[in-house]
Every structure is written in C-alpha cells, then in structure tokens.
Amino acid sequence: MRVLLVEDDPTIGNAVRDHAASQGHAVDWATTIAQADAFSDVVDSDLILLDLQLPDGSGVAFLKRLRGRRNMTPVIVLTARDQISDRIEGLNAGADDYLVKPFDLGELAARIHAVARRYGQRTTPIIQLGDVEVEPAERRLTGPHGAIDLSGREWAVLDCLLRHPGTIVPKSRIEDALYALGSEVQSNTVEVYVSRLRKKLGSSHVVTVRGLGYRMDVA
Amino acid sequence: MRVLLVEDDPTIGNAVRDHAASQGHAVDWATTIAQADAFSDVVDSDLILLDLQLPDGSGVAFLKRLRGRRNMTPVIVLTARDQISDRIEGLNAGADDYLVKPFDLGELAARIHAVARRYGQRTTPIIQLGDVEVEPAERRLTGPHGAIDLSGREWAVLDCLLRHPGTIVPKSRIEDALYALGSEVQSNTVEVYVSRLRKKLGSSHVVTVRGLGYRMDVA
DNA sequence: CTGCAGCCTTCAGGCTGCTGTCAGCTTGGG
DNA sequence: CCCAAGCTGACAGCAGCCTGAAGGCTGCAG
C-alpha cells in the first residue's frame, strides 16, 4: 500500500514512516500543506495520514481541497488530545478516522488495516487461493502444511494483486505500491517478488500478461 | 488498435512506439502539429496520445480543432509534471485522460487499455463465440477447457474483427490495425494470424470471403 | 564488538513465448 | 485442368521474463 504522511514533527514522522515501511507500505512524507498538495497531485495514494496542525496552514483546508477534487482516498487524521474541535472539523471535512496523539504504533497499524479493509470493500474476509488461505485483515497465510510467512515486500505485492483480482495490474502499479517517490529503484524487483510469491503460494495463481503486467486469478 | 502519437521528443517517442507496437497496436508518429493534422485527416485512429508542448504550437489547439470537427477519438494527454495548467486546459479542451511525464510504459499500456475498454464497452461486456467467451476488457478468453492465451498481435486481429461482427473486414483494414504507415511488412502476416486465431478459437467463427477479406460470425 | 540471521536489491544467464518470413500444400473458381 | 488465393507448419531472431546466487544492510543475541 502507498501511504501519504502529512506531518511536520520529525520524531513522529520518522517513527510512523519506518513502522509503515516495515509493513511493506510505501510512504511519501510531506511536512507542509504545500508539499502535501504537490504529492496528492502526482501520486495515487491508498491512504493519507494527516496531521491538522502544520506550519503553513491547517490540514482541514488540504482535506477540503482534496475532496473538492473528488479524491476519495481514505484519510486518517492525527490530532492532539486537546484539539477536539479540530477533530470534529476534520471529520466533517471528509476524514474517515482519527487517532489521538501520542498514539501507539500498533494502534496506528490496526487503523490502517481497518481503513484499508473498509476501503478495499473486501466482502470476503478470507480469500481462497487453491489450497492456500489468505486473511488480508490479519495478514496471515495458511497453506496445506501450516502457516506461511511473508516478508513485508512480499505481502505488499500480494496485497496489490489482491486488490484487483482478475484484472491486469501493470508492473508500474506494483512498483508504486512498493516504493515511495524518490527511491530510485531500477531493477527487476517486482519480477523477483512475484517469483518468490509463486514459490510460496504455488505458481498457478499469479499469471503473467506479457508486456502488460500480472493478473491474480482467484478460482 | 491504431494509435496516433504526437510527440517531438525522439526518446519518448521511440519508447512509446515500440512498447505500444509490442501490444499489437499500430502507431503513427507525428512530431509536429502540422503532421498531426495531416495524420488525423488521413488515418482513422482509435486513440491519440498527445504531448502538449510541440515545436510549432500547442497541442491544445490541435485538440480543439479535432473536437471542432466532431472527431471524438479518445485523447490521452502526455504532460510534464509542472505543467498543471496545461493539463487542466487539455481536459477542458476535450482530453479523456492524462499521464504525467516521466511515465512508466506499463502504466501507459494500462491507460490505453482502460480507454479502449471504456470505448469498447458501449457494445458488449462479454461476447460469446460458440463455446468460447471473450472478455475484451480483461483481454481474456475462456474456452471449454479453460483459459486461452492470446498474444498481442493475435488479440489485435480478433479485436479488429469483433469491431465489425457479421461484416466483411478487408485484409487491408486488419493490416492497418496491425501496422503503422511506413512499416513495410511484405508477407502474409494477416493470414498467419487468422490461422493462429482459428487454431485457438475453433475454426468455425472466422469465415474467409475470397478476394474480399474475413467475416466474424457471432452466433 | 562480533557473529548471525533475515530481508532487500542487483545482476547475469537461461528460458519461454512472440513475431515475421517462407515454402509447400489445399481450396475454390473459371 | 489450371491458376490464383488462402492455409499452415516450421524456424531463426529477439525481447521479456524467471530465478539462483551474491552482496549489502539492519537488528538481535551473545
């Protein structure tokens, strides 16, 4: 998943970014409203983490602008305990959830999961891929011989494919889900991870569509 | 599909042309507005890829002229990251989509695909050919014994035939759909691909009309 | 600090499947 | 029967894709 983090505090920012990255998410980090605008213009994020108090203005304005452009990316507002009015304003402006600072990183991860799940409209909490069971919500795989462990990146690729089952997903989109802007990765990383996924899931479900990308076949 | 590419940068142009060609599309490449006008006058493109900054004028003018002539060919605008105003102007002038440079070729392919789908969907989402199911949107075929894979060119031929079901399609038109102006292909390629298609689809649906062309019989 | 383990990225070699071409064959019409 | 048009199997060249292995990085335990 690709996350846009809008936060000016470097401590919180670093912590959030590292933690999300370790979960396999790509994090674009904006420290100002201006940067956030720029990012949201160029990048297709799956989720936005939005601090409301920023040096060059209120996050609410950014949020309203976003929704005005019909951008319905889910937004989680990060707010200090005493800024309740901000919070309400944020929710009215179109936020999906909020989190009170200081927050636990596990808590954040849980919210991210929850929002992603709601947004992805995964009606099925468990997806069957042949003899492998996928629980996206719990981030758990179970094969015929017990649990299967996936690394962060492996999971990110699988997740990206599962968001568009039966549809051709261009390699570039998977890359976008893996890497933030600025990380210059020039290699066949996606191919490598697809290869690893196939080894773990059984090769029959991830189909290569030459020149276009990959397709997840859910039987 | 037949694509008109309007782009003056030879690097981008070459890359786009080659990649689109590998998907079975025929690409006519104009490097100036004047050339683009000439092409759009002579050739019936299915899609136009339009860079806005060209040596002899703005692509927007070309676009407006096109729409003025009631030419509703879908247009994807290629724009530099910082030319946001251009982009808006382009969309207002009648573009269908835009892509920010530098873009990934897979992403471009996906957009082309999407536009084709949007356009083609006016007719039928799923087409039955005897015991074979065609999903043009997903570029997928399903036969009685499971999925059928088609290569780029094979798909292009099938697509061309499916656009005029029950009508005689001259060989020259299929050739036009496969190869751009100037590509000197001197062989019986069309016959070869029809043959390959028949082998995969079952031979009963593509009918040869001697001396005239081929006809797709949709039962 | 050192060694270890897991993860990520890169790279190169190999493999697969796509493509255009041709030659020999079949088909259909006059 | 003859000819033109069309069909199809074979093939070499090539691009895209796969995958094993190697090296770097980080975090952890001793």
Side-chain angles (χ1 to χ4, degrees):
Chain A
M1 261 211 330
R2 183 144 195 171
V3 177
L4 173 56
L5 169 64
V6 189
E7 167 68 65
D8 61 324
D9 181 340
T11 312
I12 297 181
N14 270 310
V16 169
R17 190 194 38 176
D18 293 349
H19 193 260
S22 80
Q23 301 296 312
H25 306 306
V27 180
D28 301 304
W29 182 7
T31 56
T32 62
I33 296 282
Q35 268 184 41
D37 273 325
F39 269 121
S40 73
D41 208 46
V42 176
V43 177
D44 233 5
S45 305
D46 301 305
L47 170 67
I48 298 176
L49 300 176
L50 179 62
D51 186 7
L52 290 185
Q53 288 185 298
L54 289 157
D56 60 342
S58 163
V60 174
F62 166 72
L63 182 48
K64 282 185 178 164
R65 223 171 300 136
L66 202 72
R67 296 298 187 227
R69 272 185 276 143
R70 302 282 161 88
N71 185 328
M72 288 307 153
T73 307
V75 172
I76 298 180
V77 163
L78 310 176
T79 165
R81 179 154 299 168
D82 48 353
Q83 306 291 330
I84 300 181
S85 58
D86 273 11
R87 200 152 87 209
I88 293 172
E89 197 181 351
L91 287 175
N92 282 339
D96 298 80
D97 204 348
Y98 63 88
L99 208 50
V100 173
K101 291 197 278 193
F103 49 81
D104 180 87
L105 286 175
E107 168 93 26
L108 174 62
R111 302 279 181 130
I112 292 180
H113 268 148
V115 167
R117 180 173 28 192
R118 208 182 308 153
Y119 181 69
Q121 292 176 343
R122 288 209 189 100
T123 46
T124 6
I126 298 184
I127 299 169
Q128 276 286 349
L129 294 179
D131 45 9
V132 178
E133 253 180 18
V134 190
E135 289 176 74
E138 301 303 326
R139 200 170 175 158
R140 190 162 35 184
L141 286 196
T142 316
H145 307 301
I148 302 175
D149 286 331
L150 291 191
S151 78
R153 292 268 133 109
E154 286 164 0
W155 187 266
V157 172
L158 174 58
D159 186 62
C160 185
L161 289 172
L162 281 180
R163 272 156 194 269
H164 314 277
T167 312
I168 299 173
V169 182
K171 225 186 277 191
S172 64
R173 180 160 308 187
I174 302 180
E175 226 164 87
D176 285 349
L178 287 180
Y179 304 102
L181 273 184
S183 17
E184 291 178 20
V185 181
Q186 38 178 335
S187 183
N188 57 344
T189 335
V190 173
E191 292 167 17
V192 171
Y193 279 106
V194 167
S195 168
R196 288 189 185 147
L197 266 186
R198 282 178 176 145
K199 208 186 270 179
K200 290 191 175 180
L201 298 181
S203 52
S204 50
H205 288 98
V206 183
V207 183
T208 305
V209 186
R210 262 195 170 229
L212 283 179
Y214 298 93
R215 176 158 38 82
M216 190 92 225
D217 272 347
V218 181
Chain B
M1 268 214 319
R2 183 142 196 174
V3 178
L4 172 55
L5 169 64
V6 188
E7 166 69 62
D8 61 324
D9 181 338
T11 312
I12 297 180
N14 270 309
V16 169
R17 191 195 35 178
D18 293 349
H19 193 262
S22 81
Q23 298 303 311
H25 306 307
V27 180
D28 301 306
W29 182 6
T31 55
T32 62
I33 297 283
Q35 269 184 41
D37 274 325
F39 267 119
S40 73
D41 219 38
V42 176
V43 178
D44 227 8
S45 305
D46 301 304
L47 170 68
I48 299 176
L49 299 176
L50 180 62
D51 186 7
L52 291 185
Q53 290 183 300
L54 289 159
D56 61 341
S58 163
V60 174
F62 167 73
L63 182 48
K64 283 185 180 163
R65 222 171 300 137
L66 201 73
R67 296 298 186 228
R69 271 185 275 144
R70 303 281 163 87
N71 184 329
M72 287 308 152
T73 308
V75 172
I76 296 181
V77 163
L78 310 176
T79 165
R81 180 157 299 172
D82 48 355
Q83 305 293 328
I84 299 179
S85 57
D86 273 13
R87 200 151 87 208
I88 294 172
E89 198 180 351
L91 287 175
N92 283 338
D96 297 79
D97 202 347
Y98 62 87
L99 208 49
V100 174
K101 290 197 277 192
F103 49 82
D104 180 272
L105 288 174
E107 175 81 30
L108 174 63
R111 302 278 182 129
I112 293 179
H113 201 220
V115 166
R117 173 171 35 193
R118 215 178 302 153
Y119 246 64
Q121 228 173 23
R122 287 179 308 185
T123 51
T124 343
I126 295 184
I127 300 169
Q128 277 286 350
L129 293 179
D131 45 8
V132 178
E133 247 179 22
V134 189
E135 281 177 79
E138 283 312 318
R139 200 172 171 162
R140 187 161 37 185
L141 289 194
T142 316
H145 307 300
I148 303 175
D149 288 331
L150 290 192
S151 79
R153 289 269 133 100
E154 286 163 1
W155 187 266
V157 172
L158 175 58
D159 186 61
C160 184
L161 290 172
L162 282 180
R163 273 158 194 264
H164 314 278
T167 314
I168 298 175
V169 182
K171 223 186 276 189
S172 63
R173 177 163 307 191
I174 302 180
E175 222 163 276
D176 285 351
L178 285 180
Y179 304 101
L181 281 181
S183 15
E184 293 176 21
V185 182
Q186 38 179 338
S187 183
N188 57 344
T189 336
V190 173
E191 292 166 16
V192 171
Y193 278 105
V194 167
S195 168
R196 287 178 183 158
L197 263 187
R198 280 177 176 147
K199 203 189 274 180
K200 291 190 174 180
L201 298 182
S203 51
S204 49
H205 288 98
V206 184
V207 182
T208 305
V209 186
R210 269 208 156 216
L212 288 178
Y214 298 93
R215 177 160 38 82
M216 190 91 223
D217 272 349
V218 181

